[in-house]
Amino acid sequence: MTFVPPPGYQPVYNPRIPYLGPIRGGLREGMSISILGSIPKDISRFHINLRCSESESGDIALHFNPRFDGWDKVVFNAFKDGSWESEEKIRRMPFTEGHAFETLIGISAEGYEVKVNGKEFHTFKHRLPVQQVRAIQVEGDVSIQSIIVIGPGGFPGSNLPVGVVPFSTIIPGGMHPKKTFIIRGQVPFGADRFAINFVASRSGNMILHLNPRLRKGEVVRNSLIGGDWGKEERQLSTNPFREGCPSAAETRSSRCL
């Protein structure tokens, strides 16, 4: 899925943990929050809070707290008027040590509908008005790749269809500086390679060829101009694509193509 977030919905990439940042415009029914990250092998616990102020004090509308303590569980709660309320303990662990994850928090009339890696996990009913939420906080043993607030009805600014691979479409308005594309999907087990190509429609030149090769553990970048391939780029500190894991590839234009 490809989108360009409008003002107020700009993604946060690779935040330093602990993280506390505002949710511009707040939350309301029909919105959701996508969090991509990874769990270290020596994890103890981490938590995600939806806070009612942009500070580390005040009410918390949602406290989402996976605990790896020998009795693996996920604790949900709310903090109101200076006190924690009654806990909801889910004695299942949707996260795996040493693996990437995607958590989606959807806001419904009933509560916060939490999904992990595409599977429904738990709905925490509202204890505070969702309109009071002003910030998101992440702390503990976790690494976060991105935090994205999604507007009502799906990804904000998106008017492109979700396609079956192989997929191609026209980019409305073309490319321009700082335009960002996020292509989200999951790499199936047993995958060998796939490619994402940005093509100039008039010339047929391939401006960007992004080619993750899973079995070799590398991501090839190149361009095809006038029928000739350029010099490949293969060097990466880490390979961000792994079989069986959700992935989000970001492509940002720094100059006009």
Side-chain angles (χ1 to χ4, degrees), residues 186-223:
Q186 183 160 333
V187 180
F189 287 103
D192 179 18
R193 63 180 64 190
F194 65 94
I196 299 169
N197 299 320
F198 283 78
V199 181
S201 58
R202 292 184 180 179
S203 64
N205 290 333
M206 193 178 297
I207 307 302
L208 171 65
H209 172 67
L210 180 67
N211 179 207
R213 300 179 181 178
L214 285 305
R215 295 178 185 175
K216 293 184 178 181
E218 59 189 18
V219 180
V220 174
R221 291 90 68 199
N222 208 340
S223 59

Side-chain angles (χ1 to χ4, degrees), residues 103-165:
T103 295
L104 187 69
I105 303 173
I107 296 90
S108 69
E110 180 182 6
Y112 298 97
E113 300 177 349
V114 178
K115 295 182 179 180
V116 179
N117 296 335
K119 297 181 180 180
E120 294 182 4
F121 182 68
H122 182 65
T123 296
F124 180 74
K125 292 183 179 180
H126 293 300
R127 300 186 187 180
L128 291 164
V130 68
Q131 293 82 3
Q132 293 183 8
V133 174
R134 290 291 179 269
I136 184 169
Q137 180 181 39
V138 183
E139 296 182 327
D141 304 323
V142 68
S143 176
I144 299 299
Q145 178 184 346
S146 65
I147 301 172
I148 305 173
V149 178
I150 304 168
F155 283 84
S158 173
N159 55 6
L160 296 180
V162 177
V164 176
V165 176

